[in-house]
Amino acid sequence: MNHIRNFCIIAHIDHGKSTLADRLLEYTNTVSGKDLQDQVLDDMDLERERGITIKSHAIQMQYEHKGEIFTLNLIDTPGHVDFSYEVSRSIAACEGALLIVDASQGVQAQTISNLYMAIDNDLEIIPVVNKVDLDSANPDEVEDEIIDLLGCRREDIIRASGRTGIGVPEILEAIVERVPAPKGDPEAPLQALIFDSVFNPFRGIIAYFKIVNGTLKKGDFVKFVNTGKQYNADEIGVLKLEMKPQESLSAGNVGYIISGIKTSSEVRVGDTITHVSSPCDAAIEGFQEVKPMVFAGVYPIETEDFENLRTSLEKLQLNDASLTFQPESSAALGFGFRCGFLGLLHMEIVQERLGREFDMDVITTVPNVSYNVYDKKGNVIEVHNPSGLPNLTLIDHIEEPYIRSSIITTADFIGPIMTLCLGKRGELVKQEFISGNRVELIFDMPLGEIVIDFYDKLKSISKGYASFDYHLHDFRESKLVKLDILLNGESVDALSTLTHFDNSVSFGRRMCEKLKELIPRQQFDIAIQAAIGAKIIARETIKAVRKDVTAKCYGGDISRKRKLLEKQKKGKKRMKQIGSVEVPQKAFLAVLKLD
C-alpha cells in the first residue's frame, strides 16, 4: 500500500486537464505508439468533437522513483459546472488532487468550486500552473492568486505545459512525495466504494470501485450493501487503457468487477461491496445524493418506442449517475419521462447521447425547475411540471428555488453583467476585488430565470471572460403565474410554463409571435393565444390556406359567387371542429431561445 497513490485532476473548463493527463501517460509509458493521440482518456466521440470532458476516466500508471516502482491511479475529471457530480464522485476515490490553473486565464469560478470540494474531503492539493509556454501566459500573477486562495508557499507551485511536456517529471515526483498513501487494512472485512459503472452488452454491468479495507479475490462471493444483492466476482482487475484482469486486489487499489449483472437498478454509484461470508459493519459514508437543477420532459417521437426509451435511459443512467427520470404523460405528446438534469449543457449531451448510442429520436419539452406550492390548508407539494399545479383557487402561495451564484470577471465587464443579473431578478450580495482588476460578484438569483439562456448571454457580454458557478441556496415566496398556450382554444401542456408575473405578458406575446412563424398553415384559421387562467393576454392568428373557389365564375350574377363562398365557409367551419394542429419539434426548441 505504501507504493500506491490515488489522485484526480481538477480545474475549470478548458484549462488543459486532459492534455496534461496525456503527457503523464506518455511519460510513464502507459500509452505509446499508435494509441497516443490527443485527449487519450476522452473515449466518447462527443467529447472529442466538443473538446470537453463529460465523463471522469480512471487509468493506472507505473512510475519509477528512486529505484522503487509506484502505482499511480489517475482519475481525469470534467471541468464544466454541469458535470460537477462526476467530480464529487472522483474525489471520493482519491487521496490527492492536482489543481490546474491556466497561466493566461487565472483562477476561475469552477476552479474555486472544485477546490472547496477537494478540501472538504481532506485531499492533498498540488497546485500546477499550466500553459506557461503561451505568449499570453502570466505565471507570476496567477501564482499570486493561487497563494491567496490556498495559502501555500510559492515553491509548492509547479509550472507546467501540457502541450510541450514542461514540468511533467516534477508533477510525478510531487505526486509520489506529497500525496499520502491510502489508509486501510488489507486484513479487515472487505469494504469497497463503487464510484462509477458502465454497461457492456456482452458482459453486463461493469462496476468501478476503490477498496477502502480488505482484499477482493477473483471468484469471491460478494454482496452490494444498499441493494442487498449477491454475486460471484467472475472477473476483477485494474484499469489500464484496456481492462487488465488480476487474481486479487487489496486495500487502496482502484479496479473493476464483472459479475454478470444485467439489471441496471442493481448497481448504485456510492454503494459498498463486501463479502457475504464476513461482511463489514457499515457501508462507506459521505456520498452525496445528486440534486437535479433543471427538469424537462423527454418523449419518444413514435409512441411505441416508449419501452425502448426506458431501457435506453436506464443504460445511460449507469454511465451518468446524475441523470434522474420518472414516467409521466402529456395530452399532446403521449407517454414519456420527466428527466432531471444538472444544467442545460447536461440536458443537451443526454439528448445527443440518446440519439447516438441508442438510436432514439426524442422530443424535449421546455426545461423548468421544481417549485414548492403551499395550499390554503398549509400542505406543501413539490411541482416539477406546470401541468401538475393544483387549481388556482386552492393555492395560498408558491416558493421558487434561489441560487447563490459566483461570477468572476475583469472590471471592464461589471456594468453589463450587473444589468444582466438585475434583469433576471437577481440581488447583489457582495462584490470584491480578488487581484489586479479581477472581480468576484455574488448574486442571489431565481433558478428559473437562469435555466434557459443565462450562461450563453453571460459569455457573450463578457467576451468569454466571465466564469460562473452556483449552488442551491434557499426557497423564496414569489408571485408566479402559469402561462398556458392555447391552439384553437385547446391548451398545449408541453408549452405551458411557470413564469414571474412581471414577465408574463411580454413572454406570452413573444411566444405567440414565435409560434406563428413556426406552425405550418392549415386549411383553416388557427388562433394562437397566451392565457393566464381564464384571461387571454396575447393572440396571433395563422391565416388559412384558401383555394380560389370562384375562379370558374366569369361574369354573371354576384349571387353565384356568394353561393360558392358560403359553401366553402361551411366546409372550413366543419374542418376547424375536427382538425388538429401538429406542433413541430422546432417550435418546442424555439421557446428556449426566445430572446
Side-chain angles (χ1 to χ4, degrees), residues 252-403:
N253 266 303
V254 173
Y256 69 90
I257 178 170
I258 300 176
S259 45
I261 306 169
K262 291 284 188 286
T263 318
S264 52
S265 57
E266 293 178 16
V267 176
R268 292 219 186 106
V269 170
D271 204 347
T272 304
I273 306 175
T274 188
H275 283 128
V276 173
S277 52
S278 54
C280 56
D281 302 335
I284 300 164
E285 286 180 2
F287 211 80
Q288 297 175 336
E289 273 297 307
V290 60
K291 292 191 206 78
M293 294 285 187
V294 177
F295 295 88
V298 173
Y299 294 85
I301 287 179
E302 301 295 332
T303 324
E304 56 267 24
D305 286 345
F306 174 72
E307 280 304 325
N308 294 351
L309 179 60
R310 183 198 295 272
T311 315
S312 307
L313 282 169
E314 281 175 356
K315 287 177 183 171
L316 193 55
Q317 194 179 36
L318 278 174
N319 196 240
D320 180 358
S322 49
L323 170 69
T324 59
F325 64 91
Q326 63 202 53
E328 73 161 5
S329 64
S330 140
L333 300 166
F335 290 103
F337 294 93
R338 187 103 200 126
C339 297
F341 307 97
L342 294 185
L344 276 190
L345 177 68
H346 185 213
M347 175 173 137
E348 203 179 309
I349 295 288
V350 166
Q351 207 174 341
E352 189 117 343
R353 284 183 72 183
L354 281 172
R356 289 189 184 201
E357 296 172 28
F358 305 101
D359 229 11
M360 290 298 313
D361 285 334
V362 293
I363 290 177
T364 311
T365 62
V366 184
N368 54 28
V369 297
S370 61
Y371 297 92
N372 289 341
V373 179
Y374 289 82
D375 63 16
K376 295 194 170 158
K377 293 178 184 166
N379 302 327
V380 59
I381 49 171
E382 198 175 282
V383 173
H384 302 302
N385 190 345
S387 61
L389 212 59
N391 193 322
L392 286 177
T393 53
L394 304 175
I395 296 175
D396 182 50
H397 65 276
I398 304 176
E399 287 186 350
E400 64 175 333
Y402 265 69
I403 54 160

Side-chain angles (χ1 to χ4, degrees), residues 20-33:
L20 200 60
D22 291 350
R23 293 295 80 75
L24 294 173
L25 297 175
E26 190 182 359
Y27 193 84
T28 56
N29 293 323
T30 308
V31 179
S32 57

Side-chain angles (χ1 to χ4, degrees), residues 117-322:
M117 222 187 291
I119 290 174
D120 286 345
N121 281 313
D122 296 336
L123 265 60
E124 177 64 39
I125 310 289
I126 299 174
V128 177
V129 176
N130 196 18
K131 305 191 188 181
V132 292
D133 57 317
L134 292 181
D135 297 338
S136 57
N138 195 344
D140 294 334
E141 197 175 297
V142 173
E143 279 183 3
D144 292 338
E145 286 181 26
I146 294 175
I147 292 166
D148 284 348
L149 188 64
L150 274 177
C152 59
R153 302 193 310 260
R154 192 174 288 277
E155 53 268 27
D156 291 342
I157 302 171
I158 301 168
R159 293 189 180 190
S161 160
R163 195 177 57 170
T164 59
I166 302 167
V168 172
E170 289 86 343
I171 291 175
L172 287 162
E173 246 174 69
I175 290 165
V176 170
E177 289 175 356
R178 282 152 63 177
V179 174
K183 299 180 180 69
D185 179 2
E187 305 302 320
L190 176 67
Q191 251 188 334
L193 173 76
I194 299 177
F195 66 86
D196 204 355
S197 58
V198 290
F199 182 80
N200 182 313
F202 305 106
R203 316 217 43 191
I205 293 160
I206 303 170
Y208 297 161
F209 61 79
K210 179 202 175 185
I211 301 182
V212 178
N213 285 311
T215 303
L216 177 62
K217 294 187 178 68
K218 184 180 172 180
D220 280 355
F221 195 40
V222 297
K223 78 166 179 180
F224 291 13
V225 176
N226 286 344
T227 56
K229 303 279 186 191
Q230 303 181 352
Y231 310 98
N232 281 318
D234 300 335
E235 180 179 312
I236 60 168
V238 294
L239 298 154
K240 293 286 179 81
L241 203 53
E242 277 89 34
M243 297 188 285
K244 290 272 191 300
Q246 303 280 331
E247 285 305 309
S248 77
L249 291 171
S250 62
N253 266 303
V254 173
Y256 69 90
I257 178 170
I258 300 176
S259 45
I261 306 169
K262 291 284 188 286
T263 318
S264 52
S265 57
E266 293 178 16
V267 176
R268 292 219 186 106
V269 170
D271 204 347
T272 304
I273 306 175
T274 188
H275 283 128
V276 173
S277 52
S278 54
C280 56
D281 302 335
I284 300 164
E285 286 180 2
F287 211 80
Q288 297 175 336
E289 273 297 307
V290 60
K291 292 191 206 78
M293 294 285 187
V294 177
F295 295 88
V298 173
Y299 294 85
I301 287 179
E302 301 295 332
T303 324
E304 56 267 24
D305 286 345
F306 174 72
E307 280 304 325
N308 294 351
L309 179 60
R310 183 198 295 272
T311 315
S312 307
L313 282 169
E314 281 175 356
K315 287 177 183 171
L316 193 55
Q317 194 179 36
L318 278 174
N319 196 240
D320 180 358
S322 49

Side-chain angles (χ1 to χ4, degrees), residues 100-121:
I100 294 181
V101 183
D102 187 325
S104 58
Q105 297 183 45
V107 171
Q108 302 214 310
Q110 199 56 30
T111 318
I112 298 174
S113 168
N114 288 341
L115 172 69
Y116 286 156
M117 222 187 291
I119 290 174
D120 286 345
N121 281 313

